[in-house]
Amino acid sequence: MMNKHWQLGLSFTNHHIRLVVFDGHKIVSVSTADLPKPFSQMRAGDPQELAAVLKDLRAKNKTIDGHRDVVVSLGDEEVFTRILTLPPLNGRELLATAPHELESDLPLKADEMYVDMYELRRLPDGQREYMAFAVNRQLVHWLVEGLQAAKFRPRAIETVSLSLGRLQQGNPKPYLTVDVGSDYASMAVFSNDLMHVNTSVAMHDEAWSKLVNEPAPTITLEELTTQYNRLFSELTDNIQATVRYFQNRSDTHEVASVFISGSGAHVPHLDILLNKDLALPVRINKPSITTEVTIDTSYLPAIGAALHGRH
Amino acid sequence: MADINLLPPRFKRIDALDARLTHVYLWLGIALFGLGMVIGTAWYSTYSLNQQSARLSQQITDKIAAAQFDELSGQVRSLASLAEEYQRVFARNRVWEELFTYLEQTIPGDTTVEAVTSTADKTGYLVTVTGTSADRRSIGLFRENLLSYKSQPSQPERVSQVVIESITADASTGRQQFSLKLSFDLNPKTESK
């Protein structure tokens, strides 16, 4: 059940920050701002740089007014996800144990990460499988300081994949979300309102990055197929591996549909290309809630973040 | 959707505190409402009881007052009869005083009164005056004087009738013993004479 509390959703790409204002019923406004330098560089610097961008956003978007609560959707490349198998533990024990379980597999020490998790399933031997999320503490501190300096109140930080999966919440059949950006593509499989798998793949291709950042890119299906064959081969291979991984773990469920988003989703024929390779219905992801403004796919992570905790 | 939150624990604690406070406020509200209901009910019960008590008290007071009124009425009636009696006694004494004064004033010089007795009824007295006199003429004069007795000069005469009951000569003293009967009216009317 949704409440009437206003909540803002914030998402980052490497060059932009996007803000969505949700009044508890509908999307009231969307804003975007250019980052003064790539996010990967900014996040290691002074939080006041972030605060300056956010203050500018607040000044330009009058609908924000005095509303402060914000949920941040971080790119999947910033958040590590792992499936952990652990004995039954209470919440406090889990959060104390998980960083030590994760540090052997991540480029972070236990005391350098913030962790959250949820239970995926119970195994026959009594153990539990958890989907664990870890993020660099330094990044979180930078975000929190920047948000607070701009008079925002951080309510949650999550991943883009969870934000995007939330837009199809309640879908009775398993579905795959694919967020295609200029540098990365991330994908996740959702079933029973739980994200079961989350992977990402680099999309490092100068031409692709240029194409994606065009306001209205034009390209034929044949050009798309031939010019970006290597890129899409890696993408579709990764998607198929992700789907297989899920279906191997699920006895009865198969992925029924694919929802694409991200700045790459507006590249013409991408849906057709993926449909052809994956043999699954492919659609542009979109929120089921009302919007008062025109939105493009680049705002979807921020919209999903704005809906955090509202179901 | 299973939500996660990668904010530092202190932020989550604030969120959890907010959530708990929401429940605290909710329960506090319910408790206050309940308390209000209890107090309201108690107050209304007391008020209602007071009202009923007041009504009952009023009814009892009314009944007591009515009973007291009846009793007082009886007492007043009793007092009225006592007053009447007192008035009679008082009037009789006054009359007697007047009568004796009058007898002293009107008795002839050679006549003495030895006894005055009376019997009373509602309208007046029957007074018997006995004495001795030197002769019959003095007794007749005494009778005439008594007949003209008035309390005040403007009032009607009180003695409506004087009858010489007997005159007997006393050989040893040579005097005439007499007995007069007076009808003494308590409420004389002008035309009653």
Side-chain angles (χ1 to χ4, degrees), chain B residues 29-45:
Chain B
I30 291 169
L32 284 174
F33 178 75
L35 189 64
M37 287 291 287
V38 169
I39 291 172
T41 306
W43 176 82
Y44 181 75
S45 301

Side-chain angles (χ1 to χ4, degrees), chain B residues 75-94:
Chain B
Q75 286 177 358
V76 168
R77 279 194 291 275
S78 305
L79 284 172
S81 62
L82 281 173
E84 285 172 11
E85 184 62 25
Y86 172 78
Q87 287 293 337
R88 267 199 299 277
V89 171
F90 178 76
R92 189 189 304 165
N93 289 342
R94 186 166 52 80

Side-chain angles (χ1 to χ4, degrees), chain A residues 257-275:
Chain A
S257 52
V258 179
F259 297 94
I260 59 172
S261 58
S263 50
H266 71 293
V267 172
H269 315 301
L270 182 67
D271 52 342
I272 297 170
L273 184 67
L274 289 176
N275 173 256

Side-chain angles (χ1 to χ4, degrees), chain A residues 234-309:
Chain A
E234 285 181 17
L235 178 63
T236 52
D237 285 351
N238 204 290
I239 291 173
Q240 285 167 338
T242 303
V243 170
R244 272 200 308 276
Y245 178 79
F246 168 74
Q247 291 182 170
N248 287 341
R249 290 164 48 83
S250 173
D251 297 333
T252 55
H253 298 109
E254 290 193 351
V255 172
S257 52
V258 179
F259 297 94
I260 59 172
S261 58
S263 50
H266 71 293
V267 172
H269 315 301
L270 182 67
D271 52 342
I272 297 170
L273 184 67
L274 289 176
N275 173 256
K276 183 182 166 190
D277 290 344
L278 300 173
L280 285 169
V282 178
R283 281 169 284 183
I284 303 286
N285 203 345
K286 64 177 182 179
S288 56
I289 57 168
T290 309
T291 60
E292 285 187 344
V293 289
T294 305
I295 54 171
D296 63 50
T297 55
S298 63
Y299 286 105
L300 293 177
I303 292 173
L307 300 176
H308 181 277

Side-chain angles (χ1 to χ4, degrees), chain A residues 141-158:
Chain A
H141 295 165
W142 174 81
L143 266 175
V144 168
E145 282 186 45
L147 287 166
Q148 290 181 329
K151 307 293 184 195
F152 286 101
R153 183 165 51 197
R155 305 298 293 189
I157 294 176
E158 65 172 2

Side-chain angles (χ1 to χ4, degrees), chain A residues 116 133 144 155-157 162 165-166 169 193-194 308-309 311, chain B residues 1-12 14-15 18:
Chain A
D116 201 2
F133 301 79
V144 168
R155 305 298 293 189
I157 294 176
L162 277 176
R166 190 172 293 114
Q169 186 172 304
D193 286 339
L194 290 178
H308 181 277
H311 46 77
Chain B
M1 180 64 66
D3 290 328
I4 62 151
N5 190 351
L6 291 166
L7 275 172
R10 66 178 186 276
F11 285 85
K12 291 185 192 174
I14 290 169
D15 276 358
D18 281 352

Side-chain angles (χ1 to χ4, degrees), chain B residues 37-57:
Chain B
M37 287 291 287
V38 169
I39 291 172
T41 306
W43 176 82
Y44 181 75
S45 301
T46 308
Y47 173 76
S48 175
L49 202 61
N50 284 344
Q51 291 287 92
Q52 288 179 14
S53 300
R55 276 199 294 274
L56 197 60
S57 173

